[in-house]
Amino acid sequence: MKKERVVIIGSGPAGLASALYTARAQLNPVVIVGPQLGGQAAITSEVENYPGFPGGLSGPDLVDKMKEHAESFGAEFVYDIVESVDFTNGSPFRVKTMMEEYSADAVIVTIGADPRKLGVAGEIEGVGKGVSYCGTCDGFFFRGREIVVVGGGDSALEEAIFLTRFASKVTVIHRRDEFRAGVQLQKRAFDNEKIDIIWDTVVEDVQFGDDGQVNAVGLKNVKTDDTSTFPTEGVFIFIGHIPNSPIFGDQLAMNERGYIITDDRMRTSVEGVFAAGEIQDEIWRQVATSVGQGTSAAMQAIHWLEEHEEDLQPLDETPEPAGD
Ligand code: NAP
């Protein structure tokens, strides 16, 4: 078992910021990268709203720069996936990955949430070619174009309204004949002249033109079973997110949707375990906000470790695994 002061689970912007700050505090954090270095940021084609980069840069480039920055202060990145954790006995915590087992004095959880997918043909291959899960990230690229928004919750309507700043027309496609979104948002959507609504309809596939870009969606009315092709250049999907929290089971307090509950200092329900980014934030979901939360979590972890300095075992004394 490897003994570490800080283990960071996840390598999105929150994890990368936590890595930088804890590394700079000379804690030599270990970052368990997970399935995708950079998380959702790594699949964002263009990030134009991260401060300090006028003209923007690609998600992968930003992730590489953040990783390099954290490594320059001593963060270690391990390409591995966390299988289970044991927070039940307090610090030091057990973190078991596919290849290793760690004992960590403090843990920062930045494992993110994934946009729920429609699961239709063309959806995944359309990412970067017209399919998007983030209006703030990609709306700008659809100036003057006609796009569709899929979903009927607060996110779908909020993003549809936001996207009317760019698109010439936004057609919301919802599977029922009433929205789940709050009434105020509904009123704003109904009052917006650029927004049309198609009720009782699901997207069956995403279609592409000869240039490889999205040019239509296949639709089906769930009441009549009528099918049709709806031309569009952009497909924005907002049908909820799925937080990557199941590995924590009941060890961390979560809300009813599976997001980890943190206080204003990014502390979870377990002392010494902190969380940042989209695993605990259902609302903002920006690279910049995740970086801020990751920074706060790291600073709080640094404070917490300082406060408990006398209780910490030296890093060269590896505790034996309990019960095995
Ligand atoms: P949500 O409330 O779960 O809504 C998801 C929407 O997508 C629902 O309309 C649902 O349809 C639809 N949907 C789900 N799966 C689908 C599928 N496979 N195919 C087609 N449609 C599908 O998710 P959300 O809008 O992301 O909101 C999440 C939470 O954040 C909510 O509590 C929300 O209130 C909150 N939030 C608040 C604000 C705000 O206050 N400004 C903004 C954003 C989010 P059905 O309605 O038929 O189930």
Side-chain angles (χ1 to χ4, degrees):
M1 182 178 324
K2 287 196 168 170
K3 170 95 185 105
E4 306 290 347
R5 283 284 173 259
V6 180
V7 166
I8 297 167
I9 303 176
S11 62
L16 292 165
S18 292
L20 170 63
Y21 271 72
T22 50
R24 204 157 172 272
Q26 304 200 31
L27 292 170
N28 300 110
V30 168
V31 181
I32 314 294
V33 167
Q36 166 86 59
L37 173 70
Q40 289 185 66
I43 53 163
T44 303
S45 45
E46 196 74 24
V47 180
E48 289 190 325
N49 53 8
Y50 190 68
F53 294 93
L57 75 174
S58 77
D61 282 351
L62 181 58
V63 167
D64 285 346
K65 282 182 194 297
M66 288 181 174
K67 175 174 178 273
E68 187 186 330
H69 198 174
E71 280 176 326
S72 73
F73 288 109
E76 182 190 349
F77 286 76
V78 180
Y79 288 79
D80 200 351
I81 291 175
V82 173
E83 286 185 334
S84 63
V85 297
D86 186 354
F87 297 160
T88 48
N89 295 319
S91 176
F93 306 104
R94 298 288 166 92
V95 177
K96 191 172 178 324
T97 66
M98 287 172 74
M99 297 187 299
E100 189 59 79
E101 189 164 1
Y102 296 87
S103 164
D105 294 319
V107 172
I108 304 178
V109 177
T110 66
I111 200 168
D114 293 329
R116 182 172 283 127
K117 309 288 187 297
L118 285 170
V120 299
E123 178 183 14
I124 300 301
E125 70 177 284
V127 172
K129 300 171 187 161
V131 173
S132 172
Y133 301 90
C134 178
T136 313
C137 316
D138 296 329
F140 192 71
F141 303 116
F142 292 84
R143 289 184 307 267
R145 299 182 184 193
E146 298 197 359
I147 61 173
V148 301
V149 161
V150 185
D154 284 329
S155 296
L157 293 200
E158 200 168 76
E159 298 275 356
I161 294 163
F162 175 77
L163 286 164
T164 61
R165 294 181 191 201
F166 311 104
S168 55
K169 189 172 149 203
V170 177
T171 302
V172 179
I173 299 168
H174 183 39
R175 65 183 178 184
R176 292 189 292 134
D177 60 4
E178 60 179 356
F179 285 131
R180 178 180 296 276
V183 285
Q184 285 306 321
L185 266 176
Q186 291 196 36
K187 184 172 177 339
R188 285 175 55 208
F190 292 143
D191 288 349
N192 191 313
E193 288 181 354
K194 280 186 168 181
I195 294 181
D196 278 354
I197 298 157
I198 300 180
W199 301 107
D200 297 316
T201 296
V202 291
V203 172
E204 291 210 302
D205 63 1
V206 176
Q207 300 168 15
F208 300 88
D210 293 339
D211 59 358
Q213 299 293 307
V214 168
N215 73 352
V217 282
L219 301 182
K220 184 171 112 178
N221 183 303
V222 293
K223 287 192 172 154
T224 63
D225 280 345
D226 285 347
T227 57
S228 58
T229 298
F230 190 85
T232 186
E233 289 180 88
V235 183
F236 283 80
I237 300 165
F238 305 109
I239 58 170
H241 279 74
I242 303 175
N244 296 315
S245 55
I247 58 163
F248 303 109
D250 57 4
Q251 298 187 65
L252 295 176
M254 298 176 200
N255 70 16
E256 63 276 14
R257 290 175 296 282
Y259 288 86
I260 294 173
I261 295 170
T262 53
D263 67 6
D264 58 358
R265 293 185 176 213
M266 320 317 287
R267 292 177 286 211
T268 70
S269 55
V270 174
E271 205 189 316
V273 178
F274 308 86
E278 295 187 19
I279 190 64
Q280 54 83 56
D281 169 20
E282 322 187 40
I283 298 176
W284 305 113
R285 305 178 191 285
Q286 300 299 299
V287 175
T289 53
S290 288
V291 163
Q293 292 155 3
T295 303
S296 302
M299 293 178 79
Q300 189 60 36
I302 295 163
H303 270 296
W304 188 81
L305 287 166
E306 278 169 3
E307 277 169 22
H308 293 81
E309 204 168 2
E310 288 178 4
D311 307 328
L312 303 178
Q313 291 174 342
L315 289 181
D316 52 343
E317 276 182 30
T318 305
E320 286 306 311
D324 43 43

